[in-house]
Amino acid sequence: MGLTPRLFTPADYEDLWALGIGLTDIAKFSHGMDHQLPKDSLGTEAAEALRARIQAVAPRHLAFTSLAAG
Protein backbone atom coordinates (compact mmCIF):
# COMPACT_ATOMS: atom_id res chain seq x y z
CA MET A 1 0.00 0.00 0.00
CA GLY A 2 1.21 3.52 -0.74
CA LEU A 3 0.10 6.96 0.33
CA THR A 4 -3.57 6.03 -0.21
CA PRO A 5 -5.39 2.70 0.13
CA ARG A 6 -6.38 2.76 -3.56
CA LEU A 7 -5.70 4.65 -6.77
CA PHE A 8 -7.72 7.86 -6.94
CA THR A 9 -8.85 9.55 -10.15
CA PRO A 10 -8.94 13.35 -10.46
CA ALA A 11 -12.74 13.23 -10.05
CA ASP A 12 -12.25 11.53 -6.65
CA TYR A 13 -10.13 14.31 -5.16
CA GLU A 14 -12.72 15.24 -2.50
CA ASP A 15 -12.54 11.66 -1.17
CA LEU A 16 -8.93 12.35 -0.18
CA TRP A 17 -10.09 14.74 2.56
CA ALA A 18 -11.25 11.77 4.64
CA LEU A 19 -7.62 10.59 4.56
CA GLY A 20 -6.35 13.98 5.70
CA ILE A 21 -5.04 14.81 2.22
CA GLY A 22 -5.93 18.08 0.51
CA LEU A 23 -4.99 19.32 -2.94
CA THR A 24 -4.65 22.88 -4.16
CA ASP A 25 -2.78 24.81 -6.80
CA ILE A 26 -1.00 28.12 -6.87
CA ALA A 27 -2.12 29.05 -10.39
CA LYS A 28 -5.89 29.39 -9.95
CA PHE A 29 -6.70 30.87 -13.37
CA SER A 30 -4.13 29.14 -15.58
CA HIS A 31 -3.20 25.56 -16.21
CA GLY A 32 -0.41 23.60 -17.79
CA MET A 33 3.18 22.71 -17.17
CA ASP A 34 5.38 25.29 -15.43
CA HIS A 35 6.90 26.45 -18.71
CA GLN A 36 3.39 26.93 -20.20
CA LEU A 37 2.03 29.20 -17.44
CA PRO A 38 1.99 32.96 -17.84
CA LYS A 39 4.70 34.55 -15.69
CA ASP A 40 2.20 36.41 -13.50
CA SER A 41 0.29 33.20 -12.62
CA LEU A 42 3.06 32.33 -10.16
CA GLY A 43 3.58 35.87 -8.90
CA THR A 44 3.36 37.55 -5.51
CA GLU A 45 -0.44 37.60 -5.31
CA ALA A 46 -0.71 33.88 -6.10
CA ALA A 47 2.03 33.05 -3.59
CA GLU A 48 0.34 35.08 -0.84
CA ALA A 49 -3.00 33.38 -1.51
CA LEU A 50 -1.34 29.97 -1.28
CA ARG A 51 0.47 30.99 1.91
CA ALA A 52 -2.87 32.01 3.46
CA ARG A 53 -4.45 28.66 2.51
CA ILE A 54 -1.51 26.77 4.00
CA GLN A 55 -1.63 28.77 7.24
CA ALA A 56 -5.40 28.29 7.55
CA VAL A 57 -5.16 24.51 7.23
CA ALA A 58 -1.74 24.07 8.92
CA PRO A 59 -0.81 20.76 7.28
CA ARG A 60 1.83 18.53 8.87
CA HIS A 61 3.28 17.82 5.43
CA LEU A 62 3.37 19.85 2.25
CA ALA A 63 4.47 18.72 -1.20
CA PHE A 64 4.85 20.55 -4.49
CA THR A 65 4.66 19.01 -7.93
CA SER A 66 5.89 22.18 -9.56
CA LEU A 67 9.53 23.17 -9.38
CA ALA A 68 8.88 26.81 -10.27
CA ALA A 69 5.93 27.27 -7.92
CA GLY A 70 7.59 25.42 -5.08
Side-chain angles (χ1 to χ4, degrees):
M1 202 172 345
L3 179 64
T4 61
R6 66 177 178 84
L7 183 61
F8 285 78
T9 67
D12 298 327
Y13 82 94
E14 288 183 351
D15 296 339
L16 292 169
W17 299 342
L19 301 174
I21 299 171
L23 303 173
T24 191
D25 50 16
I26 192 170
K28 290 293 187 187
F29 304 105
S30 305
H31 65 278
M33 302 294 290
D34 283 357
H35 69 277
Q36 297 170 322
L37 295 174
K39 295 290 184 201
D40 62 345
S41 65
L42 301 176
T44 303
E45 186 176 329
E48 289 300 322
L50 178 60
R51 183 175 288 113
R53 290 193 303 276
I54 292 168
Q55 289 173 340
V57 177
R60 283 190 298 170
H61 304 285
L62 186 63
F64 291 93
T65 59
S66 164
L67 295 176

